[in-house]
Amino acid sequence: RGPPASEAKEEEEASGTAERAALGVCGTDYEAFCSHWYQVDARRKQEERVHSSWVWMEKLQAMCTATCSEFDAMLGHLDRLERQRQEVTLKTSRLHQQCEDRIAEQEKLVAFVDAIAQRLSVFDAAEGISRTIDGEGAPLSSLQDFSAMLDQLESSVAYL
């Protein structure tokens, strides 16, 4: 005959408790490990996000610095172009003034040449009359032509 029923029942309970205690300790360790692992993994992911944010910000700052450098170079070129434009404007206005002076001088010279030509026309008329009288020029066709020549001769003498 075996142990009494109450003793068997106590034995089962004791072995079940020992098994549960063994599983409970292991289960608690597993849960603690998983909890710790999730916390470490969450911190690692957070650090990666922060690090990637910093990397992105550093890249953005590098792009902004490069853009500012390009803008500074462009502003330098624009300043140089503005100075060149001012020089060209100054030279153009000086050249324009010189052209106006030369045109005024040319107009004075044309007026002077016209005055000289008018004075010389008197002598040209006298020379034509002299050739006609000497017989070297075109023959006189009428008395009217001769009268016109004499009028020219008279005005030439009056000029002198």
Side-chain angles (χ1 to χ4, degrees):
R1 195 168 163 194
S6 66
E7 282 180 30
K9 196 174 189 185
E10 283 178 16
E11 238 179 80
E12 274 181 39
E13 285 179 15
S15 70
T17 306
E19 285 177 18
R20 274 187 256 134
L23 282 177
V25 170
C26 285
T28 304
D29 287 341
Y30 176 76
E31 288 173 7
F33 174 77
C34 287
S35 173
H36 178 70
W37 171 255
Y38 289 129
Q39 289 173 357
V40 167
D41 192 43
R43 272 188 301 222
R44 183 187 55 79
K45 288 179 181 178
Q46 178 65 22
E47 287 173 2
E48 282 179 5
R49 281 192 296 268
V50 168
H51 179 71
S52 67
S53 296
W54 280 107
V55 168
W56 178 80
M57 290 168 77
E58 288 171 355
K59 287 180 182 178
L60 184 63
Q61 183 178 8
M63 286 181 2
C64 289
T65 302
T67 303
C68 285
S69 297
E70 288 180 28
F71 282 147
D72 287 340
M74 285 183 208
L75 286 174
H77 292 305
L78 284 174
D79 287 341
R80 193 174 10 209
L81 283 174
E82 178 61 23
R83 284 192 304 272
Q84 289 174 350
R85 186 195 65 80
Q86 288 174 350
E87 288 175 14
V88 168
T89 301
L90 181 64
K91 289 178 181 179
T92 302
S93 61
R94 285 180 185 166
L95 182 61
H96 184 67
Q97 183 61 43
Q98 289 175 350
C99 287
E100 287 179 356
D101 293 345
R102 296 303 162 261
I103 288 172
E105 186 178 326
Q106 182 181 13
E107 288 173 354
K108 286 179 186 178
L109 288 174
V110 165
F112 182 69
V113 167
D114 287 343
I116 290 174
Q118 186 179 9
R119 290 178 187 161
L120 289 177
S121 69
V122 171
F123 294 106
D124 289 339
E127 184 181 337
I129 293 171
S130 172
R131 268 192 250 134
T132 304
I133 292 174
D134 289 342
E136 296 172 7
L140 290 173
S141 60
S142 71
L143 186 57
Q144 227 175 12
D145 290 338
F146 187 67
S147 175
M149 281 186 180
L150 288 177
D151 287 339
Q152 285 179 347
L153 185 59
E154 190 177 320
S155 65
S156 297
V157 170
Y159 177 75
L160 292 173

